[in-house]
Structure formats: C-alpha cells, structure tokens
C-alpha cells in the first residue's frame, strides 16, 4: 500500500492506495514545516483513525508540501512521518515537485502555483531547478490567497472597499479593526488567517472590485515569477495549479494573454495525477 499526500498550509489531502486502487481518501490539517514542528505533526497523525488503522500496512509515503523546500524543513516532516509510519519508506518533496509531476510527468516545463501561497519554477524533467522565488507570505506570495487576503483586509480597514461590498464582507465575517489586527499581528499562523478569505473571493468573483483585486494580483504574479522563467526557457509550456488558479481560471487566462503568455494546463490539485504516477512505479 502507498500513501500520497499533498499539503498546503490550510489542509493536507491524503490518498491511500493498493495496486492502483484507492483504499481511503481524507483531509487533515495542513503540514507545513515552516509553521509546525515534529511534535505538532505527530500529534494530529495520532488523532486520525484512518491513519492509525493503516499505518502498518503502508510501504511508501510520498509527501509533497508547502514549506518543504529545504533539507532542514524536509527533515522535520520526514522524522515525524517516520515515527508514525514505522514500516514505510518516506519521500518528502516541495509542493512544486508535486505540481511538476502532476502536469509534466517526466517532461520539461514551467510550473506555477496559485493557492494559499504562490511560487513558480522550471522543471527539467527530473528535478525542480533552484531560483530566488518562494519568499513566503510577508516578502512574496504575489497573487496568492495570502496576498489577496492582505489587500482585501487593508481596503476594508482603510475604507477603500466599495460600500456595498464592505457590507457583504462585514455580514459574512463580522470582524472589527481590533480583531483583524490581533489575528494578523498577535495570534499564531497569520498566513492561514489571510488565506482563509479565498473561498469568499471566489464566490464573489463577478464583483468588479474582486475582479480588479484579483487581476492586479495575477498580473504581478506573472511579472514576478513566470515572465523571468519564460525568458530563460522560451520553448517550455506553462502549467498552473492551485485553488485560485482554478477558481479564477478565466481571469488567469485573460491576464496571461495580456502578458503575451499561453497557459497549457490548469489543475486544482495534483494528488490524483500523483497517485497514478506512483502507482505505476510500485
């Protein structure tokens, strides 16, 4: 049996399969070693009945997650998983590698992620090539759920949001200035709070305010991440992945065209393609 895991900061999606057939699929809290240590990860693994019931049957665990971009952070996840899945071989990779395998397989391509965070990279068919992107929710994440959440809240607090939409936002969340600032500056994991507005943004994507907010973010994303990669690798196709990439698909395609770019594929989550990829190798 194999386990394939794709994790953002908010949620981790799990698929357990045997001989290519899904045995179990479920969601847990996100596993991001930038925010969680080994103890925290192990604690919630031990609270999941489906994991407990199948832990000793699993031979391979393939984990792909946001934040698992360095050896040090990969080790945090590896050690936590190894202590729980005692009879399994553990593979831990960055979420960009998941996007690459799910969209390119073993072919070359430019991979972009627009979810809670944002990132992009060139995949040479075997590995993700290093770059200077992936600066996180404070210094980077242009066009992501975090980025859009920051600007949504800032426009609300500064009374720059259209009055009618501000009423809709207030009715939905009932957050005042003190509560917002407390969640951003005093409580743990502010990135999760900032990205928590993504579903609301997608639900209201036809609103002119949201369209401008989103297209501005996507334009910055392309100029920051994709265009520099396209200049380096002009013959490579562009593949996009993530909740926002799918939720705002028409805006993403429109902004890409405005930047003389063409997107070859857009998928929400790579996990089914990953499962197929590894099922064929086991």
């Amino acid at each position: 049996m194999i386990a394939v895991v794709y994790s953002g900061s908010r949620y981790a999606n799990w698929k357990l399969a045997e001989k290519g057939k899904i045995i179990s699929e479920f969601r847990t809290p996100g596993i991001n070693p930038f925010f969680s240590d080994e103890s925290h990860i192990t604690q919630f693994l031990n609270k999941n009945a489906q994991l407990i019931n199948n832990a000793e049957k699993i031979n391979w665990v393939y984990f792909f997650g946001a934040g698992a971009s360095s050896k040090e952070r990969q080790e945090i996840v590896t050690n936590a998983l190894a202590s729980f899945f005692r009879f399994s071989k553990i593979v831990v990779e960055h979420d960009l590698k998941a996007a690459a395998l799910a969209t390119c397989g073993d072919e070359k391509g430019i991979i972009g992620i627009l979810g809670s965070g944002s990132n992009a990279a060139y995949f040479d068919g075997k590995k993700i090539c290093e770059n200077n992107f992936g600066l996180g929710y404070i210094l980077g994440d242009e066009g992501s759920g975090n980025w859009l959440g920051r600007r949504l809240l800032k426009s609300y607090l500064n009374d720059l949001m259209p009055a009618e939409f501000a009423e809709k936002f207030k009715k939905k969340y009932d957050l005042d200035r003190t509560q917002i600032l407390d969640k951003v500056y005093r409580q743990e994991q502010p990135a999760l709070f900032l990205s928590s507005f993504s579903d609301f943004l997608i639900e209201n994507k036809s609103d002119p305010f949201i369209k401008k907010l989103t297209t501005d973010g996507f334009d910055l994303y392309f100029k920051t991440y994709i265009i520099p990669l396209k200049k380096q690798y002009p013959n490579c196709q562009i593949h996009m992945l993530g909740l926002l990439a799918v939720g705002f698909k028409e805006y993403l395609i429109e902004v890409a065209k405005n930047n003389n770019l063409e997107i070859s594929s857009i998928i929400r989550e790579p996990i089914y393609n990953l499962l197929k990829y590894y099922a064929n190798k086991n």
Side-chain angles (χ1 to χ4, degrees):
M1 186 184 295
I2 66 172
V4 178
V5 192
Y6 180 74
S7 179
S9 296
R10 294 171 67 191
Y11 306 111
N13 289 309
W14 295 70
K15 309 289 181 193
L16 310 185
E18 190 168 17
K19 296 180 180 179
K21 182 180 179 181
I22 296 176
I23 305 299
S24 181
E25 51 187 328
F26 50 91
R27 174 183 281 184
T28 67
I31 299 174
N32 187 330
F34 196 83
F35 302 120
S36 304
D37 58 19
E38 289 179 33
S39 175
H40 180 262
I41 297 169
T42 304
Q43 282 177 16
F44 77 72
L45 292 176
N46 278 295
K47 293 178 181 179
N48 187 286
Q50 294 183 79
L51 289 176
I52 293 170
N53 292 337
N54 289 287
E56 295 187 0
K57 305 173 189 175
I58 294 172
N59 307 110
W60 285 88
V61 178
Y62 299 97
F63 174 93
F64 300 86
S69 55
S70 68
K71 288 185 178 180
E72 292 76 15
R73 290 203 287 269
Q74 288 172 357
E75 284 180 3
I76 292 172
V77 180
T78 299
N79 292 341
L81 294 175
S83 68
F84 185 84
F85 298 100
R86 295 180 299 153
F87 305 106
S88 304
K89 294 181 180 179
I90 312 295
V91 176
V92 175
E93 297 273 9
H94 195 249
D95 56 351
L96 276 168
K97 182 66 175 292
L101 293 177
T103 56
C104 298
D106 296 322
E107 302 296 323
K108 299 176 181 179
I110 294 172
I111 314 302
I113 291 178
L114 276 169
S116 298
S118 64
N119 209 337
Y122 168 67
F123 179 62
D124 68 4
K126 294 182 178 180
K127 66 180 185 300
I128 293 291
C129 296
E130 292 186 9
N131 57 47
N132 293 323
F133 304 146
L135 299 179
Y137 77 99
I138 294 177
L139 297 178
D141 276 356
E142 292 84 353
S144 71
N146 297 325
W147 190 95
L148 292 172
R150 285 202 306 272
R151 276 145 187 80
L152 182 76
L153 293 175
K154 188 174 180 179
S155 66
Y156 179 70
L157 294 175
N158 288 335
D159 294 325
L160 297 175
M161 186 181 286
E164 186 177 339
F165 193 81
E167 281 300 314
K168 183 183 289 188
F169 178 82
K170 186 176 181 180
K171 184 177 180 180
K172 174 77 172 181
Y173 293 103
D174 192 27
L175 290 168
D176 60 27
R177 182 184 184 88
T178 300
Q179 290 172 315
I180 291 171
L181 294 179
D182 180 69
K183 287 179 179 294
V184 172
Y185 292 109
R186 297 177 64 87
Q187 295 190 22
E188 293 183 356
Q189 300 190 8
L192 297 185
F193 171 66
L194 293 171
S195 65
S196 69
F197 302 100
S198 296
D199 292 334
F200 175 72
L201 291 169
I202 294 171
E203 289 169 9
N204 292 279
K205 65 181 179 180
S206 61
D207 188 282
F209 170 73
I210 297 301
K211 180 175 182 179
K212 186 176 188 314
L213 181 74
T214 306
T215 53
D216 285 350
F218 289 172
D219 186 65
L220 182 60
Y221 172 81
F222 281 120
K223 286 180 168 58
T224 304
Y225 297 85
I226 303 299
I227 290 176
L229 288 170
K230 193 64 174 174
K231 287 179 179 177
Q232 285 184 273
Y233 310 102
N235 297 321
C236 282
Q237 294 183 332
I238 300 170
H239 303 277
M240 297 297 304
L241 178 143
L243 172 64
L244 293 180
V246 171
F248 292 106
K249 181 178 180 178
E250 60 269 40
Y251 296 166
L252 189 66
I253 293 172
E254 177 185 326
V255 177
K257 287 182 178 178
N258 291 340
N259 283 281
N260 298 312
L261 298 169
E262 182 179 347
I263 301 174
S264 296
S265 66
I266 302 174
I267 64 174
R268 177 167 176 166
E269 296 173 351
I271 192 160
Y272 286 104
N273 289 358
L274 287 172
L275 187 61
K276 183 179 179 180
Y277 181 87
Y278 283 109
N280 292 331
K281 292 182 178 295
N282 283 276

